[in-house]
Amino acid sequence: MILRLASSRLVAIALVLLSTALPVLVEAKGSKAESSPKAAKETPAVSLRGTTEKTVPLRTHSLYAPYVDSDLQNRWFDFGGSSIINTNKHVRLTQDRASQAGWLWSRLALAPNSFEVEFEFRVDGKSSTLYGDGFAVWLTKSRAGMGPVFGSTDYWDGLGIFFDTYANSRHSYAFPRIYGIVNDGKMSYEVGKDGQGQEAGSCSLDFRRTDVTAKARITYFKGHFTEVAIHHDKWDEWTTCFTIPALELPSNPFLGFTAHTGDVHDAHDIISITTSNVVYHPPGPTANKPPRRNIPGIAFFSYLASLLKWVFLVVIIVVGVMAFRGWKAKQSLKRF
């Protein structure tokens, strides 16, 4: 009688475990099917930054609140166009209005051959559907004037990094988009194509109206590589947007930020700029390990193995209980 009761309990327990497992397995299978469209997204670039050590802060190319002195000037940066200084918050290159263009340029050129520029920014506006056009970061031979390329002049000599929020034509990739174009002063930026085919590196990341602080980091090692990384999704998590190998900027480039709006518009804010001299330590041998292969069905078999372990444990417990009750029954019979 005891054996039959234990057997029926064992079957009941096994059925409960299986009924619990099936929804989980179905959910896992469903989530895999739902995530398949994400495979169409761009694969993040591999970082070449390694363990970069910041050595000397470059105050001449750094900017923080309140941004200006008592004379409403900054010792190290010039600003103009539609730029507005809010001493408690930001340097606003454009307001959320049509047909604006503003700029912020360093007064001095960057002397080091290796440096890192990290800046905090915000792009936002009233509209959630139509907005633009974006802003640009410049590392160029000279300080440029106002023009059609994100508020700056065309035919620049150096590197332009564009944070583009409005697509002027159809593309196979998504916007907002970040891309870098290297120019020797002879090439004209193709506005109608959003620079397509001219990029040295690019990625599609939604840096507009982020929940966390939006930041960008430009790491430059002359003749080795230039890397652009973005902080936009999770705290203390950087996404490598692109790297440009073996790039050599013009000697002593200027650092600039420009933005413009057209019929569509946004507010483009620079909140802080931190520039440092850096020393490069290459990534270790494990940094570029190939990713593990995703074997089809491995999650299912892993879960099944775990389930079988629990069933085995339940069987052992039931057998132990049965043995204990049988021994107890024998002891009771001996007394009588």
Side-chain angles (χ1 to χ4, degrees):
M1 181 68 183
I2 295 174
L3 182 59
R4 288 180 180 178
L5 180 61
S7 300
S8 61
R9 287 183 178 178
L10 179 59
V11 171
I13 292 170
L15 289 173
V16 169
L17 288 173
L18 288 173
S19 63
T20 305
L22 283 174
V24 176
L25 293 175
V26 171
E27 182 181 352
K29 195 171 181 181
S31 63
K32 184 177 178 183
E34 289 173 4
S35 63
S36 58
K38 294 183 180 179
K41 288 188 176 181
E42 294 176 325
T43 304
V46 177
S47 176
L48 301 178
R49 185 172 177 266
T51 308
T52 300
E53 180 184 355
K54 296 182 180 180
T55 55
V56 181
L58 300 177
R59 186 67 187 89
T60 54
H61 293 79
S62 301
L63 184 67
Y64 311 100
Y67 310 111
V68 293
D69 54 26
S70 57
D71 296 326
L72 300 181
Q73 298 293 324
N74 186 283
R75 182 179 180 183
W76 308 116
F77 281 85
D78 280 330
F79 58 91
S82 60
S83 297
I84 296 176
I85 307 295
N86 184 324
T87 55
N88 296 319
K89 292 184 178 180
H90 50 238
V91 178
R92 176 154 288 178
L93 300 176
T94 70
Q95 299 182 69
D96 188 11
R97 297 177 182 174
S99 304
Q100 292 208 330
W103 50 268
L104 176 71
W105 280 95
S106 65
R107 293 177 182 264
L108 302 177
L110 275 162
N113 289 328
S114 300
F115 57 82
E116 187 166 85
V117 180
E118 182 177 315
F119 63 94
E120 183 179 342
F121 67 94
R122 184 164 182 81
V123 179
D124 202 350
K126 296 178 181 177
S127 177
S128 299
T129 54
L130 286 175
Y131 44 81
D133 283 297
F135 72 97
V137 186
W138 304 93
L139 290 164
T140 53
K141 187 176 181 178
S142 60
R143 303 191 334 154
M146 295 178 65
V149 185
F150 291 88
S152 187
T153 55
D154 203 352
Y155 298 99
W156 67 92
D157 189 352
L159 173 65
I161 302 170
F162 306 107
F163 291 69
D164 199 343
T165 55
Y166 183 79
N168 291 302
S169 60
R170 297 178 65 89
H171 301 284
S172 59
Y173 43 79
F175 276 68
R177 190 165 177 83
I178 305 168
Y179 50 95
I181 298 179
V182 181
N183 201 344
D184 58 0
K186 300 176 182 178
M187 180 175 65
S188 177
Y189 173 72
E190 296 189 15
V191 178
K193 295 182 179 180
D194 303 300
Q196 185 176 9
Q198 297 177 312
E199 317 101 318
S202 60
C203 70
S204 293
L205 290 174
D206 192 1
F207 54 82
R208 183 182 183 270
R209 195 181 287 175
T210 56
D211 293 329
V212 301
T213 302
K215 299 179 184 178
R217 185 178 65 206
I218 305 166
T219 308
Y220 172 70
F221 290 97
K222 184 177 181 179
H224 292 282
F225 69 89
T226 300
E227 179 174 303
V228 175
I230 308 298
H231 177 278
H232 75 296
D233 188 27
K234 298 179 181 178
W235 285 105
D236 296 324
E237 183 176 297
W238 290 83
T239 302
T240 303
C241 179
F242 62 84
T243 58
I244 305 174
L247 175 64
E248 289 194 22
L249 292 172
S251 299
N252 304 324
F254 288 87
L255 173 64
F257 298 82
T258 65
H260 75 165
T261 63
D263 294 331
V264 293
H265 40 83
D266 253 340
H268 301 90
D269 302 333
I270 302 299
I271 300 169
S272 67
I273 306 169
T274 302
T275 305
S276 305
N277 202 345
V278 290
V279 176
Y280 177 55
H281 301 288
T286 59
N288 292 324
K289 269 189 174 182
R292 294 180 62 184
R293 293 181 61 189
N294 186 16
I295 302 173
I298 191 168
F300 170 80
F301 289 111
S302 175
Y303 184 83
L304 186 61
S306 177
L307 178 63
L308 290 176
K309 287 179 183 178
W310 282 104
V311 172
F312 181 69
L313 180 62
V314 170
V315 170
I316 291 177
I317 293 172
V318 171
V319 171
V321 170
M322 289 172 57
F324 175 74
R325 287 185 175 180
W327 175 80
K328 194 173 180 181
K330 286 181 181 180
Q331 293 297 323
S332 299
L333 291 173
K334 284 180 181 181
R335 290 178 185 177
F336 296 102

